[in-house]
Amino acid sequence: MKHLMTLLAYIALLTGDYAYATSPLAPFVGYWKGAAVGKVSNGNQENLTCTTNNSLQSGDSLRIVLRCANAAGVSLKVYATVQSIGGNLSGQWEERTYSVSGPVSGSLQGNVLIARVDRPNYAATIRITRNGSGLSVSVTPTKGTGSFVANLSS
């Protein structure tokens, strides 16, 4: 039995499954879709449909791809890569519809990823929570306007 466990551990190391299984970012890997509500700069609320497809990259880097659109076809496309070192997050994000990007910082607390983004005219706290088979995403501005809440399921 001991040899079998050693062999399975070796196979997992070769295939990369071991890194996935031991990564603190593993709970955020997957594909989810669902409804969201966004509050735009004029104060109006927009109903959105969103998908996110997150993957674990080399090391402890999580690639996040979040796409949302309203019924009129107005879309939001956010791409981010974050790395976790000792529970501290760092990385980069980019929103392609509006051509903005910048650094990400934050923390990882179990199944809750808390990230902060800061630009000259906009700053926000982004909270991604893994709950059962779902994922909730909230964006709360600390500077500027434009909030967002999504409840996504697999």
Side-chain angles (χ1 to χ4, degrees):
M1 183 63 136
K2 182 179 177 184
H3 296 293
L4 177 60
M5 295 304 288
T6 303
L7 178 62
L8 290 175
Y10 182 70
I11 291 170
L13 281 170
L14 290 176
T15 61
D17 291 341
Y18 179 77
Y20 171 82
T22 61
S23 172
L25 295 167
F28 303 97
V29 172
Y31 175 83
W32 293 274
K33 61 183 176 180
V37 175
K39 193 171 191 179
V40 293
S41 58
N42 64 7
N44 291 338
Q45 287 192 352
E46 291 280 342
N47 292 321
L48 304 165
T49 301
C50 298
T51 62
T52 186
N53 191 4
N54 305 336
S55 59
L56 198 60
Q57 306 293 303
S58 62
D60 268 343
S61 291
L62 180 68
R63 176 72 172 161
I64 300 169
V65 178
L66 175 67
R67 294 183 176 113
C68 299
N70 66 11
V74 177
S75 66
L76 176 73
K77 299 172 188 164
V78 178
Y79 298 81
T81 301
V82 294
Q83 184 176 17
S84 173
I85 299 174
N88 295 312
L89 297 176
S90 63
Q92 294 290 318
W93 68 276
E94 171 187 16
E95 198 295 314
R96 293 191 179 167
T97 303
Y98 300 99
S99 299
V100 292
S101 61
V104 174
S105 63
S107 62
L108 184 61
Q109 301 166 5
N111 286 349
V112 181
L113 186 152
I114 301 169
R116 286 173 291 287
V117 297
D118 194 357
R119 299 295 301 146
N121 296 321
Y122 185 78
T125 300
I126 301 159
R127 184 179 187 95
I128 303 174
T129 305
R130 179 69 195 269
N131 43 23
S133 64
L135 195 73
S136 65
V137 179
S138 67
V139 177
T140 306
T142 55
K143 177 173 50 175
T145 57
S147 62
F148 175 85
V149 175
N151 291 302
L152 310 173
S153 59
S154 55

